[in-house]
Amino acid sequence: MHTFAELTIVFIILMDLALAVTGSLSSCIRLVALQGVVAGVLPLLAGHGAPHLRAVAFAAVIISLKGVIFPWLLMRARDRSGAGKDVEPLISYPASIMLCLGAFIASSWLGSRLPLPEANVAWIVPASLATIFTGFLLITTRRKAITQVLGYLVIENGIYIFGLALFVEQPMMVELAILLDVFVAVFVMGIAIFHISREFDHIDTAELSELSDWRRGEYGK
Amino acid sequence: MLLVLLSLVLLLASSMLALSLSRNPSRAQDAGAYGAVLASLCGLLPAGRVLFTGRTDTLSLPWPVPLGSLTFNLDPLAAFFLVPVFLLTGLSAVYGVDYLKSYAGRKPLGLAWAAFNTLTAAMVLVFTAANAVLFMLGWELMAAASFLLVLFEHEKAQARRAAFIYLTAGGTGALMLLAAFSLLGQASPSLDYSAFAPLTGHAASAVFLLALCGFGLKAGFIPLHVWLPEAHPAAPSQVSAVMSGIMIKTGVYGIIRVLGFLTPWQEWWGWTLLVLGAVSCLLGALFALAQHELKRVLAYSSIENVGIILMALGLGAVAAVNGAPVMAALAFAGALLHIFNHSLFKGLLFMGAGAVLHAAGTAELEALGGLGKRMPRTALFFLAGSAAACALPPFNGFAGEFLVYLGAFKSINYSGAPALAGVIAGLSLAAAGALAAAAFTRAAGAAFLGEPRTERAARTHEAGPLMLFAMGALALLCLLAGLAGPLLLLPLGSALASAFGLPAALEAVRASAIPLVYISAAGLLLLLLAGIAVARRRAFLGDKKPAAGLTWDCGYAAPSPRMQYGASSFAQPLTDFFQPVLRKIGQYPVISEYFPAKASFSTEAQAVFYNSVYLPVGARIRDLAFRFSWIQHGRLQIYIMYIVVTLIALLLWKL
Amino acid sequence: MEIVKTLFQFLAAALLAPLLPGVINRVKAFFAGRRGQPLGQLYYDLFKLLLKTPVYSRTTTWVFKAGPIIGVASLVTALALLPFAGRPSFFAFEGDFIFLIYLLGLARFATVLAALDTGSAFEGMGASREMQFAVFAEPAFFLGLAALARVTGQPSLAGMFGALTGDTWRTAAPVLALLTASFFIVLLAENSRVPADDPNTHLELTMIHEAMVLDHSGPDLAFILYGASLKLWLFGALICSTVLPRHTGSWASDSALFLLMMFGVAAGVGIVESVIARLRLTKVPFMLITAFAFSALALIFQMGR
């Protein structure tokens, strides 16, 4: 069973790498959804014996939220805002993948340094840290607003897995709180993206900075 | 030892003789070349004996130098460096006779030979000195002699610029070495190596850093390499061979010696060496790929190889500090063996490039091509050298890198620092190897293969007999040293023992004879199989006569040599990929009409570090210096006043 | 007795290697709904080519003739290092896989120089691309072998594959799975199979490996084709030995299983070629960087264990 959980962790890391190199927005959304689903299944694999009913129900909620509702919202936002099909990275894909690998090396080093309770699945901490970093990577090096939402979701996945390492049986309270935040965030940003695109015909964050008074030098006039 | 001294005397005497015969170029050539060859033969004997017996040979003359004694010390480590010195300078001298012939009357050949032999003598002094004062004497003599040789074609602005950068680098390095040696000798009565008191803590680290920078400016690893790709191509080719083959190794020798004085080592020294080496070997190979001139390609390849050596030293140091003596011994052995091997193949390659330059009048890759038909022997030797430089078996470049790899793979039994160091070293070696293979197939292909791209290249001739002899001898040595890997372990072991101690680890080096025997056997098998393939091919052909035709041109009727894949186009996929590092400047044609008639395209490889690090820093320093220009009046009286004030101040301070 | 077995293994590999391209072609034909070439087509081709009289371009020198010879000689030498079903071949020593990588490098060096010797733009193009891919493939391959050495704690090929057992798959499944994936990608790129190159293309501009050997003919081309099949065998054998640890104790059944698996790998290559399209040329380095990432992940996993 634990070999299976380990393989799942590897799968999650591979999805991080895939997110770093995927150029298509829709497959990015799908990857994030898939990662959420896999992460949702993980607590059922990591525990001992048969999972509790409560855990199963919780996993079901998470999977439906991350696997169905979020991608649906995001796809809708993408279509309505006319965001185009590509993610438009600011750095090249090889650089992204090398950064991602470096992040994994750093997080495995960090994972061995953090004073954490012994996780019963190897690599759960490095994988979660690497996932969080991938989220940051998506937020910082991609041009579009929608990839920033995706980045937040990836970070949430990472935090979820991290929570799993800390409290194998009881990740729910923390998780529920974060999930709520993220849900609201996705919702708000979905609406925001939609409205911004209606006003400005694009959702390029670089151009949003044009809105700032300070950039134009009009500040204080 | 006396023989080494004799060779020193021979070198200095012949350089004086050559200088005095300046009027008669051919006599001066003879004097210089005979002196160099005889001195080499004289010197090889004692060096070989010390290496094979493992006994140190010391000669102390009753003539004290300031802060020490006039002592020469030929220990196995020094002997290990002296063997390539004598091999390479002897053969370079033979080569030089033919190479310099065409300069007779136009250039002061007597001076050139005097500088060349003085350079050799200075290197012998550097390696055998047992005293910091003697060492610095040899060091500065070496810098001065090689400076003169870089200025050989002083009418070219590029050579003057190169010589100026070289002089600056040499001066800075020597200053740092003076500081390092005075720190080392602070607690001891003299500057004899044997009298150095062991240092600890920050003082040791300061000495390490000073020595690393001072010697690094000679060894030419990145980022202290800026002078190297300028100066090496500027010198006459046999001098480039010596400079790249062995003179830059004096820097490595210095680092090894200083590491010997500074036991116990600190771990971060090893990491510094490892990271600098890894960066140098990767970037060196990458820059070599982007160069447009054959000798610059070779110069950057020297940076790569110095990087490999430095990385191996760093790997060894990290392993030794972390209690992995076997790994350390293998890495050090690999570093030393690669020093020897690199001197052979890089000497050969520079001589080959010199032959091209001599015959075609240029070494610009885009102006060459098809030389393999016109100078077949040079092409054969150059290709052998290229294969050795890419560390391809059965040539010698492989053996040294293989030992480093073996050391790196000992790390599979460790975790933590040695494991990480092993992975970094192995991976950098593999990646640099692949890049070097691309760089050398490109250089050799553009120069020797295909059709000549210019009229001038089509009218070239084979190199002179002495040049061919020197190159052939080196090529043969490259092959033999590649096949005789296990035999080289005995001298390697004694050099290693005298440099680093590590007695337990010597066993490991001897144990590495087993893989090396297998490698030699496999190398022989490879040659045998190639022989069988040749024979079978001949048998299949029988008395059929192969037809001669045109190269397949894809239906295009009139291919011209300009349509070949050139050096830039060959490298373009890789140089484009690494453009963020290479920052090559390109001018691309803009096509606006329907029938564009003429378009031009050019790319230029930048000296990235020089342009984006040294120039801005230099400009900043110059600005700072101008602030103090009020001190400079140009009036003698005031300068004398400065001196007097300084003297009085010092006197008061000492009171 | 051992030496007879070793000799038998070596001969089996040397003689059966040309069958692999046949298997690939049959699988592709099956997917395309054709009958396809005979399984042993490459044997006929080799025989035919050996009897032909070559044509040489007037531009070429000895380098052009030496290329195929050095290439095939270094690949046969590499075969003498390659374990067969986890058992050592003639040469097995510490660090032999490094020697193996450099032998492949020698073969590539000779082929590329031979291509440049023709002075043709197309062959130069092929040579340039081959070197470019090698720069990305070699570190991936090297790192993969390093990870394998770490998994098994053995520094030689025979040691690694001898120490791999079913137990290793139970304890280090993620690592081995990643390595297999990485090796497979490297196999596809190094043997100029579909996502990286198309062995069937007839347009010089899109060729990579084929473009380099456009001008070779007669026995020279036979050497090249045979060398290519040996290279495919070599990479296939590495994958097979990773995936298929020695299960039974007997030499005969192990060898039979290994051979079966080799044809399985060839069939896998055929399926990949049938179902996916060729990558855009500029994307091939990304594919190899992915292989590198797989190898690196495997190594990190193993080091952190």
Side-chain angles (χ1 to χ4, degrees), chain B residues 398-399 402-403 406 482-489 509-525, chain C residues 81 90-94 99:
Chain B
F398 182 68
F402 181 74
L403 285 184
L406 270 192
L483 291 176
L487 298 182
L488 294 178
L489 281 179
V509 175
R510 294 213 182 96
S512 70
I514 299 169
L516 284 180
V517 167
Y518 270 112
I519 286 176
S520 301
L524 286 173
L525 175 70
Chain C
L81 294 161
F90 294 113
F91 299 110
F93 54 90
E94 207 183 329
F99 191 61

Side-chain angles (χ1 to χ4, degrees), chain B residues 23-67:
Chain B
R23 290 282 174 77
N24 187 339
S26 72
R27 283 277 191 74
Q29 288 240 56
D30 284 349
Y34 276 117
V37 171
L38 281 178
S40 293
L41 292 177
C42 255
L44 274 175
L45 279 174
R49 203 187 60 226
V50 166
L51 274 179
F52 279 97
T53 57
R55 273 201 304 274
T56 303
D57 216 346
T58 309
L59 181 76
S60 218
L61 297 180
W63 185 13
V65 291
L67 294 170

Side-chain angles (χ1 to χ4, degrees), chain B residues 12 63 65-66 70 72 118 121-123 125-126 129 131-145 174 177-178 181 193:
Chain B
L12 291 174
W63 185 13
V65 291
L70 186 58
F72 297 96
T118 313
M123 285 194 288
L125 191 59
V126 162
N131 173 301
V133 177
L134 267 180
F135 178 89
M136 285 310 294
L137 194 72
W139 190 262
E140 291 292 36
L141 197 60
M142 186 170 82
L177 291 186
L178 279 180
F181 278 124
Y193 290 167

Side-chain angles (χ1 to χ4, degrees), chain B residues 373 414 537 544 547 551, chain C residues 51 56-59 94 150:
Chain B
K373 272 221 160 97
Y414 297 91
R537 184 176 162 279
K544 285 178 282 192
T551 297
Chain C
L51 296 181
Y56 292 119
S57 157
R58 286 187 197 91
T59 308
E94 207 183 329
R150 223 181 149 82

Side-chain angles (χ1 to χ4, degrees), chain A residues 83-98:
Chain A
K85 287 187 171 161
D86 301 324
V87 297
E88 297 183 20
L90 297 170
I91 55 173
S92 70
Y93 292 115
S96 294
I97 205 167
M98 286 298 153

Side-chain angles (χ1 to χ4, degrees), chain B residues 373 391 393 398 402 405 410-411 414 449 451 518 522 526 537 541 544 546-549 551-552 554 563-565 570, chain C residues 51 53-60 74 93-95 98-99 102 106 113 118-119 121-122 124 128 150 204 215 220:
Chain B
K373 272 221 160 97
F398 182 68
F402 181 74
Y405 273 123
K410 286 286 175 204
S411 71
Y414 297 91
L449 306 178
E451 291 283 349
Y518 270 112
L526 178 74
R537 184 176 162 279
L541 281 185
K544 285 178 282 192
T551 297
W552 170 242
C554 191
M563 290 165 65
Q564 291 174 89
Y565 232 50
F570 186 84
Chain C
L51 296 181
T53 313
V55 182
Y56 292 119
S57 157
R58 286 187 197 91
T59 308
T60 58
S74 51
F93 54 90
E94 207 183 329
I98 299 161
F99 191 61
Y102 278 86
L106 178 65
L113 285 180
T118 59
F122 299 114
S128 159
R150 223 181 149 82
E204 288 90 341
D215 259 84
D220 298 328

Side-chain angles (χ1 to χ4, degrees), chain C residues 21-30 32 34 36-37 41-42 45 191-211 213-214 225 269-270 272-274 276 278:
Chain C
V23 173
I24 296 178
N25 280 334
R26 280 310 277 259
V27 171
K28 283 169 73 175
F30 171 78
R34 291 182 282 117
Q37 304 166 343
Q41 180 65 42
L42 188 54
D45 286 350
N191 291 288
S192 43
R193 308 308 311 190
V194 148
D197 187 7
D198 188 356
N200 289 339
T201 179
H202 286 285
L203 179 62
E204 288 90 341
L205 273 173
T206 64
M207 295 175 174
I208 297 169
H209 187 265
E210 296 299 310
V213 300
L214 268 179
L225 290 180
V269 173
V272 167
E273 292 217 340
S274 311
I276 59 177
R278 197 176 157 186

Side-chain angles (χ1 to χ4, degrees), chain C residues 74-88:
Chain C
S74 51
L75 281 162
V76 174
T77 313
L79 205 61
L81 294 161
L82 188 75
F84 188 93
R87 285 182 166 74

